[in-house]
């Protein structure tokens, strides 16, 4: 099925470890996003990208880094993991946000990360 | 400071009845409004949207109402079905921005 693929689905990290959450889309979408969802909360934007080579910070970027070397891939890097980064991470992509109501967001199934 | 408020964390209705989910927002800069639905262990999926120039949009069993003067958005599901049981997010889109703003979600349970 075409869409957004996230790996891994689950991960446990120790405090201070690093890891990369992978995200790939095969819909040729220009826009890609990383969100995190904490228990009982809505999704908060971490970083987003409007095209290959272009990234920008969202609402909660601290402790994360991103890169966008291709249209398809948008990895999220966690350096020096902290318990506050325990969350579910969602990657999404869209063609033209805001066009026709912004319904073009396609989300991956999420990565559940626990930092202990 | 919450820009989007879904004040009911949960809602339970009987199959066949109407489900009404509510959302309030604080900033008039939003110019399109969406509802996303999320099942456990899945990412959110788009359900229905409405632009700021309309006050109602209908798609099958789902209708979204927008009251701009009250800064209030609601989603009506009728008739409700057990498969509608999910978390529903009210999502707002600021004009000219890529950044959607999500509410905390309302967990809907439709009982058979």
């Amino acid at each position: 099925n075409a869409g957004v693929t996230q790996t891994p689905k689950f991960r446990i990290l120790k405090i201070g470890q690093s890891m990369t959450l992978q995200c790939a889309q095969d819909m040729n979408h220009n826009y890609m996003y990383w969100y995190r969802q904490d228990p009982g909360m809505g999704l908060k934007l971490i970083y987003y990208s409007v095209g290959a080579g272009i990234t920008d910070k969202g609402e909660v970027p601290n402790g994360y880094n991103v890169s966008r070397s291709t249209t398809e891939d948008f990895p999220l890097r966690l350096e020096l993991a902290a318990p506050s980064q325990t969350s579910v991470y969602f990657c999404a992509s869209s063609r033209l946000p805001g066009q026709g109501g912004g319904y073009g967001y396609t989300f991956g199934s999420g990565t559940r990360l626990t930092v202990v | 400071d919450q820009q989007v408020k879904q004040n009911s964390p949960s809602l339970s209705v009987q199959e066949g009845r109407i489900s009404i989910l509510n959302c309030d927002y604080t900033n008039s800069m939003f110019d399109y409004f969406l509802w996303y639905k999320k099942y456990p262990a899945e990412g959110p999926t788009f359900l229905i949207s409405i632009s700021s120039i309309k006050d109602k949009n209908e798609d099958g069993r789902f209708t979204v109402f927008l009251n701009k003067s009250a800064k209030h958005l609601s989603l009506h599901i009728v008739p409700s079905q057990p498969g509608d049981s999910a978390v529903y997010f009210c999502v707002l889109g600021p004009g000219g921005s890529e950044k959607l703003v999500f509410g905390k979600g309302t967990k809907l349970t439709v009982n058979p």
Side-chain angles (χ1 to χ4, degrees):
Chain A
N1 272 346
V4 178
T5 302
Q6 290 184 240
T7 55
K9 292 193 181 301
F10 304 93
R11 183 72 185 268
I12 298 175
L13 276 183
K14 293 185 178 179
I15 294 172
Q17 287 185 321
S18 301
M19 77 163 294
T20 299
L21 282 66
Q22 301 292 345
C23 175
Q25 54 94 6
D26 58 4
M27 297 169 285
N28 202 32
H29 284 170
N30 286 329
Y31 295 80
M32 295 188 75
Y33 316 82
W34 274 105
Y35 286 88
R36 60 177 284 175
Q37 184 188 17
D38 299 329
M41 304 294 288
L43 279 69
K44 293 188 183 296
L45 183 65
I46 305 171
Y47 271 95
Y48 67 100
S49 169
V50 302
I54 307 169
T55 62
D56 206 349
K57 296 177 181 178
E59 185 181 356
V60 289
N62 291 343
Y64 307 95
N65 277 302
V66 294
S67 59
R68 183 94 182 271
S69 57
T70 67
T71 299
E72 294 78 19
D73 300 299
F74 190 40
L76 177 72
R77 179 81 178 163
L78 279 73
E79 304 281 1
L80 299 175
S84 62
Q85 293 178 303
T86 294
S87 190
V88 181
Y89 292 82
F90 291 100
C91 179
S93 71
S94 69
R95 183 170 286 110
L96 288 170
Q99 209 81 341
Y103 51 77
Y105 282 70
T106 301
F107 282 85
S109 58
T111 295
R112 185 175 295 274
L113 175 68
T114 302
V115 181
V116 297
Chain B
D1 183 25
Q2 280 184 265
Q3 298 187 72
V4 185
K5 295 181 182 179
Q6 293 181 258
N7 291 321
S8 298
S10 63
L11 175 67
S12 183
V13 300
Q14 286 299 120
E15 181 177 5
R17 307 294 287 269
I18 185 171
S19 296
I20 299 176
L21 293 88
N22 293 302
C23 173
D24 296 297
Y25 61 97
T26 57
N27 196 319
S28 299
M29 71 178 179
F30 299 112
D31 68 357
Y32 60 95
F33 307 85
L34 312 93
W35 287 93
Y36 273 72
K37 177 167 124 175
K38 184 183 179 304
Y39 292 116
E42 295 183 11
T45 56
F46 169 77
L47 183 60
I48 192 169
S49 68
I50 188 169
S51 74
S52 59
I53 62 173
K54 295 187 175 181
D55 54 19
K56 177 182 175 181
N57 187 29
E58 192 171 351
D59 184 3
R61 297 186 296 112
F62 303 91
T63 303
V64 57
F65 296 92
L66 175 63
N67 183 331
K68 285 188 68 179
S69 61
K71 296 188 176 67
H72 181 80
L73 186 71
S74 65
L75 174 68
H76 292 206
I77 306 173
V78 54
S80 301
Q81 299 174 354
D84 296 329
S85 297
V87 176
Y88 289 79
F89 290 102
C90 175
V91 185
L92 276 56
S97 169
E98 303 82 10
K99 304 172 191 177
L100 297 181
V101 180
F102 282 75
K104 292 184 179 182
T106 296
K107 182 177 182 181
L108 173 66
T109 303
V110 180
N111 300 302

